[in-house]
């Protein structure tokens, strides 16, 4: 079948690959293992010297070969385990060694045969398990010590197509029943989640709208309160479900809807006053603003309506701007001494500088506050806290004074009020300087109070990210004008500073 040239070529490759048959057969495509070994033995007997001269030194010694084969025989006859444990040789080389050295032995890995012998009954039982498939094929294979291929072959041999079809149909029916049960459980759980979420939202609305504790029994609510909660949640849940959870009849709900709220117009008016006051008016000032419009209502009702409508004044305290730069010029005494009461306008004036952050810029305000009624007599707004900012404000103040008015002008110890130009303007106009102690903000608390009201009412709690610096300055200027002309103060008998000065009853009140 094979000529001498083919045989010699196969033998030389066999010697080259260290007497390993597998690479020779892969390369040449012939012959089988036994033929190649017989060719080699016959060739060695007749041409030993020639073969040895062309052969290469084996990769593994005879000792290593014997050790690997012995390890294989003594440790479960597993080629994979032997290779992993010893670290040599490859699987095909070890297979060749075993075939050559162990008589009447064929490794299971090479022939695909299972070393475990099974009876016909064991095979039938394993085939039935594989057909029923109550567990995965891997687990069945592990339990029976048979390969998946053997299990499928046994199933094909011992289980008829008709019986296999019946088993599969029964299995499918069981799966369908289990699927239906799971779907029912999932639907039930979804309903429970939906109901619990609805109850949670109802309790949250009870806490937010009608100021009830979230732990309250919802059945203890009045029909009016229930109707308020339902109206707040109708866009999220069906009316029928809300009525059921709140134990309220449909007729009772619609009766509450048809009953006119006598405070509807007042609620609208309160919202308008609150918004127009930069959201700074509490219930007392809103009550007075309503009275000024001819609406008489008690403080308790105003407070309740504001709570129901969600109107609340917010307040924030932030670190103030500091302009102290050291003792530039001699300080003057504190003449005011925290007595911010004045009997007439232009008797005591207060000033300071405050800072606003807008985007990546800063805006500075320098006002002059009259202690008599809190009136902002003059102010300047700029992008730098320089001498021009305060000196321009002082010149504007001086221009508004009468000839015989020489007020005390009180400030902190900031550098702006100790520079030569400020001192010169004060001395030329015979104005009296007064300064707080170093780092003592209460010494100028009336001016600090104005800054606090300004920022809480106008600056904080508003989004200025899309506002330009020019627009912010305009809005700040509008606020100060509103502060003087419209904003009512309890210390002025709920009048604005300008209205208070026009009223002729100025001496009856004083600012706080």
């Amino acid at each position: 079948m094979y000529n001498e040239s083919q045989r010699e070529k196969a033998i030389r490759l066999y010697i080259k690959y260290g007497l390993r048959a597998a690479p020779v057969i892969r390369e040449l495509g012939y012959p089988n293992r036994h033929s190649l070994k017989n060719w080699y033995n016959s060739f060695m007997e007749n041409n030993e010297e020639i073969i040895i001269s062309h052969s290469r030194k084996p990769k593994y010694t005879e000792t290593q070969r014997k050790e690997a084969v012995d390890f294989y025989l003594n440790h479960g006859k597993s080629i994979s385990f032997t290779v992993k444990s010893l670290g040599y040789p490859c699987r095909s080389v070890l297979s060749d060694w075993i075939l050559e050295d162990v008589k009447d032995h064929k490794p299971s890995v090479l022939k695909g045969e299972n070393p475990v012998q099974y009876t016909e009954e064991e095979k039938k039982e394993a085939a039935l398990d594989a057909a029923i498939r109550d567990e995965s094929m891997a687990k069945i294979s592990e339990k029976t010590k048979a390969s998946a291929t053997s299990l499928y072959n046994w199933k094909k041999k011992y289980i008829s197509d008709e019986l296999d079809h019946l088993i599969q149909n029964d299995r499918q029916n069981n799966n369908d029943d289990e699927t239906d049960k799971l779907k029912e459980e999932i639907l039930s759980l979804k309903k429970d989640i939906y109901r619990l979420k609805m109850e949670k939202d109802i309790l949250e609305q009870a806490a937010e709208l009608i100021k009830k504790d979230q732990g309250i029994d919802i059945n203890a609510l009045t029909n009016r309160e229930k109707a308020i909660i339902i109206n707040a949640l109708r866009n999220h849940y069906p009316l029928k479900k809300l009525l059921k959870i709140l134990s309220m009849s449909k007729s009772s709900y619609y009766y509450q809807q048809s009953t006119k709220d006598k405070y509807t117009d007042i609620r609208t008016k309160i919202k308008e006053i609150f918004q127009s006051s930069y959201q700074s008016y509490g219930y007392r000032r809103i009550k007075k603003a309503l009275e000024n419009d001819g609406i008489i209502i008690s403080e308790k009702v105003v407070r309740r309506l504001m709570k129901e409508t969600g109107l609340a004044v917010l307040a924030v305290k932030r670190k103030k701007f500091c302009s102290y730069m050291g003792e530039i010029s001699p300080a003057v005494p504190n003449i005011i001494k925290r007595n911010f009461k004045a009997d007439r306008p232009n008797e005591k004036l207060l000033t300071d500088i405050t800072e606003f952050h807008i985007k990546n810029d800063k805006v500075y305000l320098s006002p002059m506050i009259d202690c008599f009624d809190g009136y902002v007599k003059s102010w300047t707004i700029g992008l730098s806290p320089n001498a021009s900012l305060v000196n321009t404000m002082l010149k504007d103040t001086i221009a508004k004074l009468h000839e015989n008015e020489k007020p005390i002008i009180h400030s902190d110890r900031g550098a702006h009020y100790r520079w030569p130009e400020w001192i010169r303007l004060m001395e030329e106009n015979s104005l009296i300087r007064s300064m707080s102690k170093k780092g003592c903000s209460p010494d100028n608390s009336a001016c600090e109070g104005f800054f606090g009201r300004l920022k809480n009412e106008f600056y904080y709690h508003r989004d200025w990210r899309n506002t330009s610096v020019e627009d912010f300055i305009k809005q700040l200027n509008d606020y100060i004008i509103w502060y003087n002309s419209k904003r009512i103060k309890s210390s002025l008998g709920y009048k604005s500073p300008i209205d208070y000065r026009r009223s002729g009853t100025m001496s009856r009140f004083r600012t706080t």
Side-chain angles (χ1 to χ4, degrees), residues 473-491:
I473 291 175
K474 180 181 179 303
Q475 292 187 46
L476 177 58
N477 191 69
D478 291 341
Y479 171 85
I480 297 176
I481 294 173
W482 173 82
Y483 184 92
N484 283 336
S485 60
K486 300 293 183 182
R487 185 184 183 277
I488 60 177
K489 299 177 65 175
S490 60
S491 58

PDB file of all heavy atoms in Angstrom, residues 473-491:
ATOM      1  N   ILE A 473     -27.966  93.878  38.368  1.00  0.00           N
ATOM      2  CA  ILE A 473     -27.845  95.234  38.925  1.00  0.00           C
ATOM      3  C   ILE A 473     -29.168  95.982  38.781  1.00  0.00           C
ATOM      4  O   ILE A 473     -29.600  96.689  39.708  1.00  0.00           O
ATOM      5  CB  ILE A 473     -26.698  95.993  38.223  1.00  0.00           C
ATOM      6  CG1 ILE A 473     -25.355  95.363  38.615  1.00  0.00           C
ATOM      7  CG2 ILE A 473     -26.718  97.476  38.586  1.00  0.00           C
ATOM      8  CD1 ILE A 473     -24.167  95.944  37.884  1.00  0.00           C
ATOM      9  N   LYS A 474     -29.837  95.822  37.644  1.00  0.00           N
ATOM     10  CA  LYS A 474     -31.130  96.478  37.443  1.00  0.00           C
ATOM     11  C   LYS A 474     -32.169  95.958  38.447  1.00  0.00           C
ATOM     12  O   LYS A 474     -32.915  96.737  39.054  1.00  0.00           O
ATOM     13  CB  LYS A 474     -31.625  96.231  36.025  1.00  0.00           C
ATOM     14  CG  LYS A 474     -32.966  96.884  35.703  1.00  0.00           C
ATOM     15  CD  LYS A 474     -33.414  96.574  34.294  1.00  0.00           C
ATOM     16  CE  LYS A 474     -34.766  97.223  34.006  1.00  0.00           C
ATOM     17  NZ  LYS A 474     -35.823  96.813  34.940  1.00  0.00           N
ATOM     18  N   GLN A 475     -32.208  94.619  38.644  1.00  0.00           N
ATOM     19  CA  GLN A 475     -33.166  94.056  39.598  1.00  0.00           C
ATOM     20  C   GLN A 475     -32.858  94.494  41.029  1.00  0.00           C
ATOM     21  O   GLN A 475     -33.773  94.746  41.825  1.00  0.00           O
ATOM     22  CB  GLN A 475     -33.157  92.530  39.493  1.00  0.00           C
ATOM     23  CG  GLN A 475     -33.703  91.988  38.181  1.00  0.00           C
ATOM     24  CD  GLN A 475     -33.841  90.477  38.196  1.00  0.00           C
ATOM     25  OE1 GLN A 475     -34.356  89.897  39.158  1.00  0.00           O
ATOM     26  NE2 GLN A 475     -33.393  89.832  37.128  1.00  0.00           N
ATOM     27  N   LEU A 476     -31.583  94.554  41.386  1.00  0.00           N
ATOM     28  CA  LEU A 476     -31.199  95.010  42.718  1.00  0.00           C
ATOM     29  C   LEU A 476     -31.617  96.466  42.930  1.00  0.00           C
ATOM     30  O   LEU A 476     -32.133  96.830  43.997  1.00  0.00           O
ATOM     31  CB  LEU A 476     -29.690  94.851  42.906  1.00  0.00           C
ATOM     32  CG  LEU A 476     -29.105  95.346  44.223  1.00  0.00           C
ATOM     33  CD1 LEU A 476     -29.758  94.661  45.415  1.00  0.00           C
ATOM     34  CD2 LEU A 476     -27.579  95.132  44.254  1.00  0.00           C
ATOM     35  N   ASN A 477     -31.423  97.290  41.929  1.00  0.00           N
ATOM     36  CA  ASN A 477     -31.829  98.696  42.015  1.00  0.00           C
ATOM     37  C   ASN A 477     -33.350  98.810  42.180  1.00  0.00           C
ATOM     38  O   ASN A 477     -33.850  99.605  42.992  1.00  0.00           O
ATOM     39  CB  ASN A 477     -31.363  99.427  40.761  1.00  0.00           C
ATOM     40  CG  ASN A 477     -31.510 100.935  40.885  1.00  0.00           C
ATOM     41  OD1 ASN A 477     -30.800 101.571  41.644  1.00  0.00           O
ATOM     42  ND2 ASN A 477     -32.439 101.501  40.134  1.00  0.00           N
ATOM     43  N   ASP A 478     -34.103  97.965  41.439  1.00  0.00           N
ATOM     44  CA  ASP A 478     -35.573  97.965  41.550  1.00  0.00           C
ATOM     45  C   ASP A 478     -36.017  97.535  42.947  1.00  0.00           C
ATOM     46  O   ASP A 478     -36.992  98.066  43.489  1.00  0.00           O
ATOM     47  CB  ASP A 478     -36.179  97.034  40.501  1.00  0.00           C
ATOM     48  CG  ASP A 478     -36.002  97.559  39.079  1.00  0.00           C
ATOM     49  OD1 ASP A 478     -35.750  98.772  38.939  1.00  0.00           O
ATOM     50  OD2 ASP A 478     -36.129  96.762  38.133  1.00  0.00           O
ATOM     51  N   TYR A 479     -35.303  96.554  43.519  1.00  0.00           N
ATOM     52  CA  TYR A 479     -35.675  96.098  44.860  1.00  0.00           C
ATOM     53  C   TYR A 479     -35.520  97.226  45.886  1.00  0.00           C
ATOM     54  O   TYR A 479     -36.397  97.417  46.746  1.00  0.00           O
ATOM     55  CB  TYR A 479     -34.819  94.899  45.284  1.00  0.00           C
ATOM     56  CG  TYR A 479     -35.030  94.530  46.740  1.00  0.00           C
ATOM     57  CD1 TYR A 479     -36.072  93.703  47.124  1.00  0.00           C
ATOM     58  CD2 TYR A 479     -34.204  95.046  47.741  1.00  0.00           C
ATOM     59  CE1 TYR A 479     -36.283  93.377  48.456  1.00  0.00           C
ATOM     60  CE2 TYR A 479     -34.410  94.735  49.074  1.00  0.00           C
ATOM     61  CZ  TYR A 479     -35.448  93.900  49.426  1.00  0.00           C
ATOM     62  OH  TYR A 479     -35.675  93.593  50.750  1.00  0.00           O
ATOM     63  N   ILE A 480     -34.419  97.972  45.835  1.00  0.00           N
ATOM     64  CA  ILE A 480     -34.199  99.040  46.815  1.00  0.00           C
ATOM     65  C   ILE A 480     -35.272 100.128  46.658  1.00  0.00           C
ATOM     66  O   ILE A 480     -35.763 100.683  47.657  1.00  0.00           O
ATOM     67  CB  ILE A 480     -32.784  99.614  46.670  1.00  0.00           C
ATOM     68  CG1 ILE A 480     -31.743  98.518  46.969  1.00  0.00           C
ATOM     69  CG2 ILE A 480     -32.576 100.787  47.621  1.00  0.00           C
ATOM     70  CD1 ILE A 480     -30.305  98.952  46.764  1.00  0.00           C
ATOM     71  N   ILE A 481     -35.647 100.420  45.423  1.00  0.00           N
ATOM     72  CA  ILE A 481     -36.741 101.384  45.207  1.00  0.00           C
ATOM     73  C   ILE A 481     -38.027 100.852  45.820  1.00  0.00           C
ATOM     74  O   ILE A 481     -38.766 101.590  46.497  1.00  0.00           O
ATOM     75  CB  ILE A 481     -36.915 101.653  43.697  1.00  0.00           C
ATOM     76  CG1 ILE A 481     -35.670 102.373  43.142  1.00  0.00           C
ATOM     77  CG2 ILE A 481     -38.170 102.482  43.436  1.00  0.00           C
ATOM     78  CD1 ILE A 481     -35.663 102.528  41.639  1.00  0.00           C
ATOM     79  N   TRP A 482     -38.303  99.553  45.612  1.00  0.00           N
ATOM     80  CA  TRP A 482     -39.494  98.931  46.211  1.00  0.00           C
ATOM     81  C   TRP A 482     -39.392  98.940  47.738  1.00  0.00           C
ATOM     82  O   TRP A 482     -40.384  99.163  48.430  1.00  0.00           O
ATOM     83  CB  TRP A 482     -39.614  97.500  45.696  1.00  0.00           C
ATOM     84  CG  TRP A 482     -40.690  96.702  46.367  1.00  0.00           C
ATOM     85  CD1 TRP A 482     -42.025  96.698  46.102  1.00  0.00           C
ATOM     86  CD2 TRP A 482     -40.512  95.779  47.462  1.00  0.00           C
ATOM     87  NE1 TRP A 482     -42.688  95.849  46.948  1.00  0.00           N
ATOM     88  CE2 TRP A 482     -41.781  95.276  47.795  1.00  0.00           C
ATOM     89  CE3 TRP A 482     -39.409  95.351  48.183  1.00  0.00           C
ATOM     90  CZ2 TRP A 482     -41.974  94.351  48.813  1.00  0.00           C
ATOM     91  CZ3 TRP A 482     -39.591  94.424  49.203  1.00  0.00           C
ATOM     92  CH2 TRP A 482     -40.866  93.933  49.513  1.00  0.00           C
ATOM     93  N   TYR A 483     -38.195  98.697  48.252  1.00  0.00           N
ATOM     94  CA  TYR A 483     -37.972  98.675  49.702  1.00  0.00           C
ATOM     95  C   TYR A 483     -38.336 100.029  50.313  1.00  0.00           C
ATOM     96  O   TYR A 483     -38.962 100.101  51.378  1.00  0.00           O
ATOM     97  CB  TYR A 483     -36.503  98.336  49.981  1.00  0.00           C
ATOM     98  CG  TYR A 483     -36.170  98.180  51.447  1.00  0.00           C
ATOM     99  CD1 TYR A 483     -36.228  96.938  52.060  1.00  0.00           C
ATOM    100  CD2 TYR A 483     -35.767  99.278  52.215  1.00  0.00           C
ATOM    101  CE1 TYR A 483     -35.904  96.784  53.403  1.00  0.00           C
ATOM    102  CE2 TYR A 483     -35.444  99.128  53.559  1.00  0.00           C
ATOM    103  CZ  TYR A 483     -35.523  97.884  54.149  1.00  0.00           C
ATOM    104  OH  TYR A 483     -35.208  97.735  55.474  1.00  0.00           O
ATOM    105  N   ASN A 484     -37.962 101.102  49.663  1.00  0.00           N
ATOM    106  CA  ASN A 484     -38.264 102.440  50.184  1.00  0.00           C
ATOM    107  C   ASN A 484     -39.731 102.823  50.046  1.00  0.00           C
ATOM    108  O   ASN A 484     -40.301 103.449  50.944  1.00  0.00           O
ATOM    109  CB  ASN A 484     -37.406 103.498  49.466  1.00  0.00           C
ATOM    110  CG  ASN A 484     -35.976 103.528  49.977  1.00  0.00           C
ATOM    111  OD1 ASN A 484     -35.689 103.118  51.100  1.00  0.00           O
ATOM    112  ND2 ASN A 484     -35.065 104.011  49.147  1.00  0.00           N
ATOM    113  N   SER A 485     -40.338 102.433  48.939  1.00  0.00           N
ATOM    114  CA  SER A 485     -41.674 102.957  48.627  1.00  0.00           C
ATOM    115  C   SER A 485     -42.822 102.004  48.919  1.00  0.00           C
ATOM    116  O   SER A 485     -43.938 102.450  49.193  1.00  0.00           O
ATOM    117  CB  SER A 485     -41.727 103.354  47.145  1.00  0.00           C
ATOM    118  OG  SER A 485     -41.461 102.225  46.325  1.00  0.00           O
ATOM    119  N   LYS A 486     -42.586 100.685  48.910  1.00  0.00           N
ATOM    120  CA  LYS A 486     -43.690  99.726  49.012  1.00  0.00           C
ATOM    121  C   LYS A 486     -43.597  98.790  50.215  1.00  0.00           C
ATOM    122  O   LYS A 486     -44.620  98.382  50.759  1.00  0.00           O
ATOM    123  CB  LYS A 486     -43.758  98.882  47.736  1.00  0.00           C
ATOM    124  CG  LYS A 486     -43.993  99.662  46.455  1.00  0.00           C
ATOM    125  CD  LYS A 486     -45.385 100.282  46.434  1.00  0.00           C
ATOM    126  CE  LYS A 486     -45.640 101.000  45.117  1.00  0.00           C
ATOM    127  NZ  LYS A 486     -46.991 101.650  45.109  1.00  0.00           N
ATOM    128  N   ARG A 487     -42.395  98.394  50.598  1.00  0.00           N
ATOM    129  CA  ARG A 487     -42.246  97.361  51.638  1.00  0.00           C
ATOM    130  C   ARG A 487     -42.682  97.902  52.995  1.00  0.00           C
ATOM    131  O   ARG A 487     -42.094  98.841  53.521  1.00  0.00           O
ATOM    132  CB  ARG A 487     -40.794  96.898  51.707  1.00  0.00           C
ATOM    133  CG  ARG A 487     -40.567  95.737  52.678  1.00  0.00           C
ATOM    134  CD  ARG A 487     -39.082  95.414  52.750  1.00  0.00           C
ATOM    135  NE  ARG A 487     -38.833  94.274  53.610  1.00  0.00           N
ATOM    136  CZ  ARG A 487     -38.736  94.322  54.938  1.00  0.00           C
ATOM    137  NH1 ARG A 487     -38.878  95.497  55.556  1.00  0.00           N
ATOM    138  NH2 ARG A 487     -38.503  93.236  55.641  1.00  0.00           N
ATOM    139  N   ILE A 488     -43.680  97.278  53.579  1.00  0.00           N
ATOM    140  CA  ILE A 488     -44.206  97.757  54.866  1.00  0.00           C
ATOM    141  C   ILE A 488     -43.392  97.167  56.014  1.00  0.00           C
ATOM    142  O   ILE A 488     -42.886  96.050  55.932  1.00  0.00           O
ATOM    143  CB  ILE A 488     -45.696  97.403  55.025  1.00  0.00           C
ATOM    144  CG1 ILE A 488     -45.915  95.885  54.977  1.00  0.00           C
ATOM    145  CG2 ILE A 488     -46.521  98.102  53.956  1.00  0.00           C
ATOM    146  CD1 ILE A 488     -47.368  95.474  55.196  1.00  0.00           C
ATOM    147  N   LYS A 489     -43.260  97.935  57.101  1.00  0.00           N
ATOM    148  CA  LYS A 489     -42.495  97.520  58.271  1.00  0.00           C
ATOM    149  C   LYS A 489     -43.380  97.626  59.506  1.00  0.00           C
ATOM    150  O   LYS A 489     -44.093  98.617  59.693  1.00  0.00           O
ATOM    151  CB  LYS A 489     -41.263  98.416  58.450  1.00  0.00           C
ATOM    152  CG  LYS A 489     -40.287  98.377  57.288  1.00  0.00           C
ATOM    153  CD  LYS A 489     -39.117  99.328  57.491  1.00  0.00           C
ATOM    154  CE  LYS A 489     -38.265  98.911  58.669  1.00  0.00           C
ATOM    155  NZ  LYS A 489     -37.054  99.747  58.818  1.00  0.00           N
ATOM    156  N   SER A 490     -43.326  96.614  60.334  1.00  0.00           N
ATOM    157  CA  SER A 490     -44.144  96.631  61.555  1.00  0.00           C
ATOM    158  C   SER A 490     -43.732  97.770  62.478  1.00  0.00           C
ATOM    159  O   SER A 490     -44.558  98.360  63.185  1.00  0.00           O
ATOM    160  CB  SER A 490     -44.018  95.284  62.275  1.00  0.00           C
ATOM    161  OG  SER A 490     -42.667  95.044  62.633  1.00  0.00           O
ATOM    162  N   SER A 491     -42.415  98.123  62.496  1.00  0.00           N
ATOM    163  CA  SER A 491     -41.939  99.193  63.367  1.00  0.00           C
ATOM    164  C   SER A 491     -42.431 100.571  62.911  1.00  0.00           C
ATOM    165  O   SER A 491     -42.359 101.536  63.673  1.00  0.00           O
ATOM    166  CB  SER A 491     -40.406  99.182  63.408  1.00  0.00           C
ATOM    167  OG  SER A 491     -39.885  99.325  62.097  1.00  0.00           O
TER     168      SER A 491
END
